[in-house]
Amino acid sequence: MMTDKYGQLPCRAHASAALTGQCRVPGDKSISHRAVLFGGLARGTSHISGLLESEDVMASAAAMRAMGARIARLEADRWVVEGCGNGALLAPRETLEMGNSGTSTRLLMGLVAGQGLRARFSGDASLCKRPMGRVLEPLKAMGARLIDCAPGERLPLTLEGSAPAIPITYRLPVPSAQVKSAVLLAGLNAMGETTVIEPVATRDHTERMLRHFGARISTVDRSDGRHITVTGEAELAARDVLVPGDPSSAAFPVVAGLLVPGSHIRIDGVMVNPTRAGLIATLQEMGGNISLENRREEGGEPVADLVVAASTLSGIEVPAQRAPSMIDEYPVLAVAASFASGPTIMRGLSELRVKESDRLAAILAALETNGVVAQVAGDDLMISGGGGRVRGGGRVATHLDHRIAMSFLVMGLASEEPVMVDDTRMIATSFPGFADLMGGLGARFEPAAEAAAS
Ligand code: S3P
């Protein structure tokens, strides 16, 4: 593969003929992280099928190996994990390199906080900018000590856990599954019950999978939100995990299928857990022809095959309450909204500012460079749809953000002029094989190193 003079891998997407065919997206990223972490913590041997073999998940696996778990690939997507047993993780000798992965970092900080060991975390330029105070605050209340950190409680940082941890009741100040999970993981080794209260439900994979591994965990909906309680000094026993297809990855072929005229595609085995399904509901409300077939349960998660046909979309208002169920999908929703007729208003997007990039700023700039009229007011994004037409022709700055790259490559498949993204290397953090999968459906992507270097 040809990088440009900056070591980046630019790519150009061209207007494509109808996308057709059937595909399966890689395993869900959130579930894959948790399978590796919980398998590594449980006593005994767990097998994982459908694991996402992406850079982010491999960062989680490397960290668990550094703390004593044995993790090996048996064959494509099939892994075996020999766990240490709760309370028996070892202090890692080297810095845990988390790459681009906020999920690995925040969940592992939760694990370390309850294990009485010291670990140093570092990451790439994007991760070192992201806020860690949101996890450190409750973890410190649980007895963990922040030994050192970069200014603003950022990586690189060193955390020392306390065993046992102090049980707390913690109301999430931001709707974050990572913060919730960090507190629950520290709570696994606390003396007593640890409760997280979430005013708006976030993805519930930690709760589902901890239960699967034998932890005592209860969820009760009350007037002030969802109360999730884990009982400490938990005995986790090895369990097999089946990882369903990632809805956040399926989002790209889904939106491409809606936008490229004449398309008709089928994506098999996509997880449709309600805490993750906001994009599908939103696109359907916009007039998107998406049907969920063959609904079933796999690995404790609801799954369906998605059938998508090219559609005429109309702009809508997306309420803030829906944001946690589609938080990673706003970049590609912004692309869909650009082609809709009428305005789309997406409310309550403050969390987008602290993702792999400041996604609100990155989306706005990418829309503008492609001739789409959009504005940000407070935490809301308003996009004036082009009624089926978008000029394109822009050069998108991805800021080390995989989802910005994939979203705007999708835009180029249906815009009048090709869309260029400045770097595609980060796509491997969540969706290895993205270009091949999309190419198999008929998407026209072309490496663009020459043009970028000139
Ligand atoms: C994730 C939670 C979300 C999401 C991220 C994965 C998880 O982050 O954006 O891609 O697996 O728990 P926040 O917890 O910051 O919302």
Side-chain angles (χ1 to χ4, degrees), residues 124-307:
D124 73 3
S126 151
L127 189 60
C128 288
K129 282 193 209 151
R130 299 181 67 184
M132 296 299 152
R134 52 179 53 199
V135 241
L136 291 170
E137 185 204 302
L139 295 181
K140 284 191 248 175
M142 298 181 81
R145 284 203 312 137
L146 179 60
I147 306 296
D148 57 45
C149 64
E153 300 200 314
R154 285 169 216 268
L155 300 190
L157 65 76
T158 308
L159 190 67
E160 189 174 83
S162 95
I166 303 162
I168 60 168
T169 294
Y170 189 67
R171 187 176 171 83
L172 288 183
V174 286
S176 165
Q178 293 175 359
V179 177
K180 167 177 68 177
S181 303
V183 174
L184 295 174
L185 290 178
L188 284 177
N189 232 7
M191 251 202 291
E193 292 190 336
T194 296
T195 299
V196 177
I197 304 170
E198 44 178 22
V200 183
T202 66
R203 66 191 69 196
D204 60 359
H205 310 304
T206 294
E207 298 89 301
R208 285 175 187 250
M209 207 187 290
L210 279 182
R211 214 169 272 134
H212 180 60
F213 275 89
R216 282 179 53 200
I217 185 154
S218 71
T219 300
V220 182
D221 286 327
R222 300 225 173 106
S223 56
D224 63 340
R226 182 166 285 186
H227 290 227
I228 303 138
T229 300
V230 68
T231 304
E233 299 173 287
E235 286 283 331
L236 298 189
R239 290 281 184 279
D240 291 348
V241 178
L242 179 60
V243 184
D246 193 330
S248 300
S249 296
F252 302 106
V254 165
V255 171
L258 293 175
L259 298 183
V260 177
S263 296
H264 194 274
I265 61 172
R266 180 184 186 92
I267 309 163
D268 289 328
V270 180
M271 190 236 295
V272 290
N273 177 319
T275 62
R276 297 285 300 282
L279 179 76
I280 294 179
T282 302
L283 291 171
Q284 286 172 330
E285 269 178 45
M286 294 172 80
N289 185 342
I290 306 171
S291 43
L292 278 63
E293 295 187 355
N294 196 14
R295 281 174 180 272
R296 57 204 183 269
E297 186 144 310
E298 276 178 13
E301 293 279 353
V303 165
D305 304 328
L306 306 184
V307 179

Side-chain angles (χ1 to χ4, degrees), residues 28-31 33-34 102-103 106-107 130 134 175-181 202-203 205-206 248 276 324 327-328 351 354-356 359 402-403:
D28 184 70
K29 183 154 75 72
S30 293
I31 294 183
H33 281 299
R34 288 159 173 81
T103 309
R106 297 198 178 113
L107 268 57
R130 299 181 67 184
R134 52 179 53 199
S176 165
Q178 293 175 359
V179 177
K180 167 177 68 177
S181 303
T202 66
R203 66 191 69 196
H205 310 304
T206 294
S248 300
R276 297 285 300 282
I327 194 65
D328 292 335
E351 278 296 296
V354 291
K355 294 296 175 187
E356 287 83 330
R359 282 192 179 149
H402 52 134
R403 299 200 201 280

Side-chain angles (χ1 to χ4, degrees), residues 26 31 36 105 295 325 452:
I31 294 183
V36 166
T105 310
R295 281 174 180 272
S325 69

